[in-house]
């Protein structure tokens, strides 16, 4: 399997794990070739995805204390209206994003990133005001709701704070006004 290097920040992305639950889909490659808001070299991150008819997740080992940001990458390449695909995201069983509707946030065929800052301190995972026991593995779970299937296009873990994480450019509407996303 090949690694994919992102042009903007040099992050090396591993290929998805083929034996985990869910479907690895490249639907966006042929159906959304001109994905908005992302450099052409990086489109593949947002055109491919893993989804599942139930909740699913990834385990990420973290061996040292510090500040981190989990960057979750999404784009809606199938549905063309809101409230069709809505799901939640948990970290070590703590809800961190509730009711994510990618289409409602950015529309069809547009890159969208979610950022979750947290801290590891000794045997604790600190997310916002929550302090959780931490055993060395961060479990990121994409949680099924009544609105279709949870999905993720890509994810990356950065060491540091939100100020250290590269961001997508602001969304521009048809009048070329800049629209800022809520983070």
């Amino acid at each position: 399997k090949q690694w994919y290097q992102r042009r903007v920040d040099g992050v090396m992305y591993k290929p998805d794990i083929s034996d985990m639950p869910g479907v690895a889909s490249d639907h966006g490659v042929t159906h959304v070739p001109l994905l908005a808001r992302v450099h052409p070299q990086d489109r593949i991150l947002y055109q491919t995805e893993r989804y599942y008819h139930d909740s699913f997740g990834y385990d990420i080992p973290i061996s040292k204390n510090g500040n981190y940001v989990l960057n979750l990458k999404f784009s809606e390449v199938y549905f063309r209206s809101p409230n069709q695909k809505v799901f939640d995201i948990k970290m070590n069983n703590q809800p961190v994003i509730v009711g994510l509707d990618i289409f409602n946030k950015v529309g069809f065929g547009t890159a969208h990133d979610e950022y979750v800052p947290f801290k590891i301190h000794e045997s604790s995972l600190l997310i916002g005001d929550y302090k959780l026991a931490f055993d060395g593995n961060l479990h990121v779970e994409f949680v099924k709701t009544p609105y279709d299937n949870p999905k993720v296009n890509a994810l990356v873990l950065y060491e540091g704070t939100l100020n250290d994480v590269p961001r997508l450019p602001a969304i521009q509407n048809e009048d070329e006004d800049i629209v800022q996303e809520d983070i």
Side-chain angles (χ1 to χ4, degrees), residues 21 55 57 60 75 94 115 126 134 160:
S55 299
I60 304 169
S75 66
Q94 175 63 44
Y115 307 92
L126 307 165
F134 185 70

Side-chain angles (χ1 to χ4, degrees), residues 115-129:
Y115 307 92
V116 184
F118 65 95
K119 183 175 186 171
I120 302 296
H121 183 70
E122 297 173 4
S123 296
S124 296
L125 169 62
L126 307 165
I127 308 170
D129 294 332

Side-chain angles (χ1 to χ4, degrees), residues 129-177:
D129 294 332
Y130 296 96
K131 183 177 181 178
L132 309 169
F134 185 70
D135 66 0
N137 279 305
L138 181 68
H139 181 69
V140 181
E141 184 178 13
F142 300 88
V143 182
K144 170 84 170 156
T145 71
Y147 301 96
D148 200 60
N149 303 311
K151 68 173 262 178
V152 65
N153 292 84
L155 57 85
V156 61
L157 182 65
Y158 289 97
E159 190 172 354
T161 66
L162 280 171
N163 292 332
D164 303 314
V165 177
R167 305 282 179 108
L168 288 171
I171 296 174
Q172 295 186 358
N173 67 20
E174 293 175 12
D175 297 329
E176 294 301 310
D177 294 330

Side-chain angles (χ1 to χ4, degrees), residues 45-63:
L45 291 174
Y46 298 91
Q47 292 170 319
T48 57
E49 66 186 30
R50 175 162 299 276
Y51 69 89
Y52 192 45
H53 62 81
D54 201 354
S55 299
F56 71 98
Y58 295 87
D59 288 313
I60 304 169
I62 301 175
S63 61

Side-chain angles (χ1 to χ4, degrees), residues 83-96:
N83 298 316
Q84 301 298 303
K85 180 184 291 292
V86 181
F87 56 95
D88 302 333
I89 300 165
K90 293 181 179 181
M91 288 171 45
N92 288 32
N93 212 31
Q94 175 63 44
V96 293

